[in-house]
Amino acid sequence: MLLIEAVVVWNEPNNLSHWNFHLDPGWQQFGAMVKQGSAAMRGVNPDLPIVLGGVSSGDPDWLRLQAGYGVMDHVDAVAIHGFPLDWNHWQLTEWPDKIREAEEVSGKPVWVTEVGCSSFGLEEVAQMGFRRTVELIRGKTPRIHWYSLYDLPPSWPAETRHKEAEGSSYYRHYYLGLLRHDGTPKLAATDFPVDGSVGLCQWFHWQDHRLHDAVTWMREHNVQHLRTGLSWADAYRPDAEAWFDHVFTQLWPFQVAMTLCFTPGHLGKEDHHTSPPLDNADFAEFAAWAVERYASPGQSVPVNPKARSLYDLPQMQRRKAELEAAQPAADSAEAPKEEVLAV
């Protein structure tokens, strides 16, 4: 079994909480970054599927925009996200139409890499939402990644722009798991199919204490497909490679859609993980490294022992200085900034 079944480029790039499009009007740089990153990854493993990062609310206009930039020639599938019972302005029963529309606009297979329903207020609502969603979309998409296995721990911040000021919209982020944050099952967990037809999306944060228990639960429930993230921003923490290696060694039993996202502050147009990079070549280098380390052709172990080390912190600090010196001061001086909270 292959560990990495696909690489997903970014997470919800049409969502300001994940990509600051004020610094990239029209997402032109994003489209160019996908192309350059795709070329770098194909240079390492030409057969590895590349998926355009999950589009918030399945927005077909955003997909149409990227198609106009020629991005679809550089990916093998597109991913869409939807939470119609919590945030999106469409009905749950529209899911099949959303998948079909994304297929028509992109000309590519469509993966549902995040779909979910919060138990905020009432667990029975989330259980009904799980049952009905699976009924509506199973068989209509190659991948269903339910978001998520765990509720967000109450002491952790959710990744949104305005935090508690969003009211119930913010707090719904904390109740999207099949399990509570302490690992006890909610009603929807009893309906999770054990035939491998539904996968999960679960982000494992830096030194995440839930990793071992998550793997145990997924193996017990015959989960085949898992989507998780590899944070570019975390790659420059001390001992980052050791943590990444540990995560992917633990996830070896599953077919993983590895999402690459979050800009290191020292490589961004602004010092924030949602920022477009100063130079797309830096993302391409990271993407190639991730594929070389975890998804080289014919790889039969979780970590490629011949993979190079990604980073040299003094070198990257010099790189930041070089990029800033080359960047016209006006490019970012007047760019509006949104308040965004990182997980």
Side-chain angles (χ1 to χ4, degrees), residues 13-324:
N14 60 328
N15 180 345
L16 197 58
S17 293
H18 297 279
W19 181 266
N20 190 342
F21 47 79
H22 290 316
L23 301 177
D24 177 27
W27 291 273
Q28 289 181 313
Q29 182 181 347
F30 180 82
M33 187 183 76
V34 174
K35 294 178 185 180
Q36 193 165 351
S38 175
M41 289 186 281
R42 295 200 193 285
V44 177
N45 186 346
D47 298 321
L48 182 67
I50 297 173
V51 182
L52 180 63
V55 181
S56 179
S57 193
D59 185 356
D61 291 331
W62 191 88
L63 288 172
R64 191 174 290 108
L65 179 70
Q66 294 299 314
Y69 294 152
V71 170
M72 301 308 164
D73 294 334
H74 299 265
V75 299
D76 301 291
V78 300
I80 63 174
H81 296 174
F83 297 85
L85 293 181
D86 292 286
W87 296 297
N88 302 148
H89 295 167
W90 42 275
Q91 298 290 302
L92 181 66
T93 52
E94 293 180 63
W95 254 118
D97 293 335
K98 291 293 180 181
I99 294 170
R100 185 163 47 249
E101 187 172 22
E103 288 173 343
E104 291 172 355
V105 169
S106 67
K108 297 291 179 178
V110 174
W111 292 21
V112 176
T113 52
E114 279 188 30
V115 56
C117 178
S118 174
S119 63
F120 178 83
L122 190 66
E123 278 195 27
E124 284 83 355
V125 171
Q127 184 179 35
M128 177 277 295
F130 181 86
R131 290 174 175 172
R132 189 74 176 106
T133 300
V134 172
E135 176 185 300
L136 284 163
I137 67 177
R138 186 158 50 181
K140 295 179 176 63
T141 174
R143 292 289 177 271
I144 302 170
H145 290 278
W146 187 262
Y147 183 88
S148 59
L149 178 58
Y150 284 102
D151 279 352
L152 190 65
S155 61
W156 290 10
E159 189 174 333
T160 71
R161 281 176 282 163
H162 302 298
K163 302 177 285 186
E164 288 86 349
E166 297 174 3
S168 66
S169 179
Y170 177 77
Y171 292 109
R172 289 175 182 275
H173 287 275
Y174 285 83
Y175 299 96
L176 289 161
L178 296 170
L179 311 178
R180 301 179 186 90
H181 70 91
D182 63 2
T184 55
K186 295 193 286 186
L187 292 175
T190 62
D191 293 312
F192 189 83
V194 294
D195 61 359
S197 62
V198 176
L200 289 170
C201 175
Q202 179 64 54
W203 298 94
F204 295 106
H205 304 289
W206 180 255
Q207 302 293 338
D208 200 319
H209 65 281
R210 306 168 298 177
L211 177 61
H212 177 269
D213 289 344
V215 169
T216 299
W217 192 96
M218 290 188 291
R219 296 190 74 166
E220 289 175 349
H221 290 79
N222 194 35
V223 172
Q224 301 295 310
H225 302 280
L226 172 69
R227 175 181 172 242
T228 195
L230 183 63
S231 170
W232 184 23
D234 281 346
Y236 297 97
R237 293 176 182 261
D239 301 320
E241 289 175 354
W243 168 246
F244 292 160
D245 291 351
H246 174 66
V247 170
F248 284 107
T249 298
Q250 292 294 306
L251 299 181
W252 189 241
F254 313 106
Q255 296 187 55
V256 176
M258 178 175 66
T259 303
L260 307 179
C261 59
F262 300 141
T263 305
H266 69 285
L267 295 179
K269 290 182 176 180
E270 66 174 354
D271 187 2
H272 201 278
H273 68 280
T274 64
S275 174
L278 281 165
D279 190 336
N280 287 344
D282 290 315
F283 175 75
E285 179 186 6
F286 169 69
W289 169 85
V291 171
E292 178 185 325
R293 195 169 187 89
Y294 303 114
S296 292
Q299 190 166 332
S300 58
V301 292
V303 181
N304 179 0
K306 298 180 180 179
R308 60 193 165 88
S309 179
L310 172 65
Y311 59 89
D312 175 332
L313 286 178
Q315 177 183 337
M316 296 316 297
Q317 290 166 353
R318 291 193 296 271
R319 174 69 171 150
K320 172 68 170 177
E322 291 171 359
L323 290 169
E324 288 180 337

